[in-house]
Amino acid sequence: MDLKTASALRRLRLVSGPEAISFLLLLVASVLKRTTEFNAVPALGAIHGFLFVVYVLFWADAWNRAKWPLRTAAFYFLMSVLPTGGFFAERRLKRETEDAVIASRARKEEGVVGA
C-alpha cells in the first residue's frame, strides 16, 4: 500500500466516527423536537450534512485509491447511512490499514533479506 492510499483510508477512518456521532445526535434532536420545545435539528442537521458530504468525498477517494471491489465500496457507503455504521466502518478501516502496513513492511524486509 502506498502512502497516498494509506492517507485516503486514514482520512475516511477519521471522519467516520464524528459522522456517526452527528447522526446519532441528530436522531436524538429529532425526537426531542417532537416531544419538547428543544429544537437543535437545524444546527445538528447542518453539521451532520457537512460531515456526511466529507465522508462521501473521502469514501470516493479511498475507493479510487484502494481499488476496492464493488462489494467493499458498497459496504463502506452503507455504513455511512446506518446510525451506528460509522463506528463499524472505523474499526474495520483501522484493521485493514494495520494489516496493509504489516504486509508492506514484510515485503520490504523480504527484499532486504533476499538481497
Side-chain angles (χ1 to χ4, degrees):
M1 174 181 297
D2 66 335
L3 186 59
K4 288 185 179 185
T5 303
S7 295
L9 292 176
R10 184 169 188 268
R11 281 192 304 268
L12 181 60
R13 184 175 67 85
L14 290 177
V15 79
S16 65
E19 192 271 337
I21 291 169
S22 72
F23 194 2
L24 291 173
L25 289 175
L26 181 60
L27 290 175
V28 169
S30 296
V31 170
L32 290 175
K33 176 183 176 184
R34 306 273 187 253
T35 58
T36 66
E37 298 294 320
F38 184 73
N39 185 10
V41 171
L44 289 174
I47 292 168
H48 174 66
F50 173 76
L51 288 172
F52 179 75
V53 169
V54 170
Y55 182 95
V56 170
L57 291 173
F58 288 169
W59 166 79
D61 184 40
W63 183 11
N64 181 41
R65 292 188 187 280
K67 307 292 187 230
W68 287 331
L70 183 59
R71 182 179 178 134
T72 303
F75 170 79
Y76 285 119
F77 185 79
L78 179 64
M79 291 297 102
S80 72
V81 296
L82 295 175
T84 58
F87 300 122
F88 295 107
E90 191 272 334
R91 188 178 314 148
R92 188 168 166 183
L93 282 164
K94 183 178 181 182
R95 192 173 342 129
E96 185 177 320
T97 305
E98 288 172 351
D99 291 346
V101 167
I102 290 169
S104 175
R105 288 180 181 162
R107 281 192 300 273
K108 277 185 179 179
E109 287 177 8
E110 278 183 10
V112 172
V113 172

